[in-house]
Amino acid sequence: MASRVRLTVNGQVHELDVDPRQSLLDVLRERLDLTGTKKGCNQGACGACTILVDGRRIVSCLTLAAMHDGARIETIEGLANGGELHPLQAAFIEHEGLQCGFCTPGQIMSGIGCIAEGHAGSPEEVQFWMSGNICRCGAYPGIVAAVADAAGRT
Ligand code: FES
Ligand code: FES
């Protein structure tokens, strides 16, 4: 039986009937066409699917959409303000914090969470608190520099 959920995603309200077994990641990608959030491992190990739910960063592949009725969700698609990039998006470009880009939406959403938690005071701190976000291209120096830099500006 379907579950009715109300999700506010990037400021837009969606009322949906979802399969109670469907992950939040699959609902975002397959029902709302928000494919910026990536599916890497689908088992909580890579961080590619990181989003913010009520301001907290979570891996969306490990949580069911039906558990989030009433939640406020932010994904990579909601960050830019018109033509203006979010400061962390701009910092990723500036510091070349990416190569193929597959992990990047998750890295950026996680970075926003990391900064908001007050865990981005130094490159070492960023490394520790972003350790759940894997980059197979090894763009870590740029990722850490971008988050630490944006933390100083936001
Ligand atoms: S796809 Fe969710 S942690 Fe890898
Ligand atoms: S930029 Fe390719 S996986 Fe991170």
Side-chain angles (χ1 to χ4, degrees), residues 47-58:
C49 64
T50 306
I51 58 171
L52 299 178
V53 175
D54 295 326
R56 282 183 49 221
R57 52 182 170 156
I58 65 165

Side-chain angles (χ1 to χ4, degrees), residues 76-86 89:
I76 192 77
E77 287 91 345
L79 291 189
N81 185 4
E84 198 180 326
L85 293 177
H86 182 282
Q89 289 176 307

Side-chain angles (χ1 to χ4, degrees), residues 112-128:
I112 290 172
C114 183
I115 293 169
E117 293 156 19
H119 289 146
S122 67
E124 292 73 26
E125 214 184 352
V126 173
Q127 269 172 11
F128 181 82

Side-chain angles (χ1 to χ4, degrees), residues 32-130:
L32 301 181
D33 286 331
L34 293 170
T35 54
T37 305
K38 300 303 181 211
K39 185 187 274 191
C41 63
N42 207 27
Q43 55 183 18
C46 75
C49 64
T50 306
I51 58 171
L52 299 178
V53 175
D54 295 326
R56 282 183 49 221
R57 52 182 170 156
I58 65 165
V59 282
S60 57
C61 67
L62 279 193
T63 192
L64 299 171
M67 294 163 59
H68 295 285
D69 185 32
R72 181 174 48 85
I73 293 168
E74 288 159 74
T75 71
I76 192 77
E77 287 91 345
L79 291 189
N81 185 4
E84 198 180 326
L85 293 177
H86 182 282
L88 187 52
Q89 289 176 307
F92 263 69
I93 294 172
E94 216 173 294
H95 293 278
E96 298 183 14
L98 65 148
Q99 189 173 319
C100 78
F102 189 83
C103 73
T104 312
Q107 301 282 2
I108 291 178
M109 298 314 291
S110 186
I112 290 172
C114 183
I115 293 169
E117 293 156 19
H119 289 146
S122 67
E124 292 73 26
E125 214 184 352
V126 173
Q127 269 172 11
F128 181 82
W129 289 97
M130 296 275 295

